Amino acid sequence: MEKRKGLVLVYTGNGKGKTTAALGLALRSIGHGRHVFMVQFKKSDSSYGEIQAISKYLPDFRVLQSGKNKMSSDGALVEDERSVVLDGFNQGKEALVSGEYDLVIFDEINVVMDHGQLTVQEVKDMLSLRPEHVDVVLTGRNAPEEIVNIADLVSEVQEIKHYFHAGVKARAGVEF
Ligand code: ATP
Ligand code: MG
């Protein structure tokens, strides 16, 4: 059988479906006996459906939430402190280097780079450390051009319509 080579997959764009695409891939991967590690930046809420399901049913799926996800008074996302981001990033990097995981997901890392909390170079250096068999997924809006250039796959989820604009609020099981 041909030797499996790990790939870098990027899910970006302004439409809904990036994080859930990564979770779908993780589920598929686990079904083949693979081990998955996911760092979720910008999230610190363990009530998300995926976090609950993983802890209940998926022992081969390890998740680390790294981020404060706070809103300021004008509704903007408060910048995570660099140290919080860096801690999550380093733990994800360790998981990747260990070779114990076949798929490592960095959820919302494109946004983290876009906000300047991690440099593109730091992410490129991390990618260069991955063992042969490890697939890496990078999600989030505004994937930097340099990341797009080195990725093996880039899928852009484009918003055509979103019920948010019609006033529909976030729903359990769909948004979180
Ligand atoms: P999902 O987690 O559902 O796969 P995503 O990862 O593609 O979505 P993000 O950009 O991470 O999307 O946004 C997180 C959530 O915010 C999504 O569930 C999405 O429905 C919601 N969302 C997307 N666009 C808007 C918007 N303009 N206003 C409010 N909420 C939005
Ligand atoms: Mg997302």
Side-chain angles (χ1 to χ4, degrees), residues 52-87:
Q52 293 297 317
I54 290 162
S55 73
K56 215 164 159 185
Y57 304 114
L58 299 171
D60 294 335
F61 193 165
R62 278 211 48 211
V63 182
L64 173 76
Q65 288 191 318
S66 172
K68 291 184 182 154
N69 201 23
K70 280 188 186 148
M71 298 287 175
S72 64
S73 53
D74 63 358
L77 198 61
V78 171
E79 299 280 286
D80 292 328
E81 286 166 23
R82 157 101 176 154
S83 61
V84 175
V85 165
L86 204 55
D87 183 49

Side-chain angles (χ1 to χ4, degrees), residues 42-138:
K42 308 275 175 196
K43 287 175 188 147
S44 54
D45 184 348
S46 64
S47 70
Y48 272 77
E50 57 265 41
I51 304 299
Q52 293 297 317
I54 290 162
S55 73
K56 215 164 159 185
Y57 304 114
L58 299 171
D60 294 335
F61 193 165
R62 278 211 48 211
V63 182
L64 173 76
Q65 288 191 318
S66 172
K68 291 184 182 154
N69 201 23
K70 280 188 186 148
M71 298 287 175
S72 64
S73 53
D74 63 358
L77 198 61
V78 171
E79 299 280 286
D80 292 328
E81 286 166 23
R82 157 101 176 154
S83 61
V84 175
V85 165
L86 204 55
D87 183 49
F89 181 66
N90 285 335
Q91 290 193 55
K93 191 157 74 176
E94 273 172 38
L96 173 133
V97 170
S98 76
E100 284 174 42
Y101 297 93
D102 307 286
L103 172 64
V104 182
I105 299 166
F106 292 88
D107 186 37
E108 311 301 347
I109 197 167
N110 296 330
V111 178
V112 168
M113 284 185 275
D114 195 44
H115 289 180
Q117 292 149 345
L118 279 178
T119 65
V120 172
Q121 192 57 48
E122 284 171 309
V123 175
K124 284 171 74 177
D125 290 347
M126 173 275 288
L127 292 172
S128 73
L129 295 174
R130 70 188 205 283
E132 223 15 48
H133 68 286
V134 180
D135 290 315
V136 176
V137 171
L138 310 174

Side-chain angles (χ1 to χ4, degrees), residues 15 17-20 40 43 107-108 111 139-141:
K18 301 171 293 292
T19 297
T20 45
Q40 283 197 310
K43 287 175 188 147
D107 186 37
E108 311 301 347
V111 178
T139 87
R141 295 163 187 232

Side-chain angles (χ1 to χ4, degrees), residues 15-20 108 141 159 162 164-165 174-175:
K16 170 172 164 56
K18 301 171 293 292
T19 297
T20 45
E108 311 301 347
R141 295 163 187 232
E159 180 184 313
H162 196 307
F164 166 77
H165 303 299
V174 181
E175 270 74 44

Side-chain angles (χ1 to χ4, degrees), residues 32-46:
H32 287 280
R34 304 179 82 213
H35 293 131
V36 182
F37 191 99
M38 175 168 71
V39 182
Q40 283 197 310
F41 296 107
K42 308 275 175 196
K43 287 175 188 147
S44 54
D45 184 348
S46 64

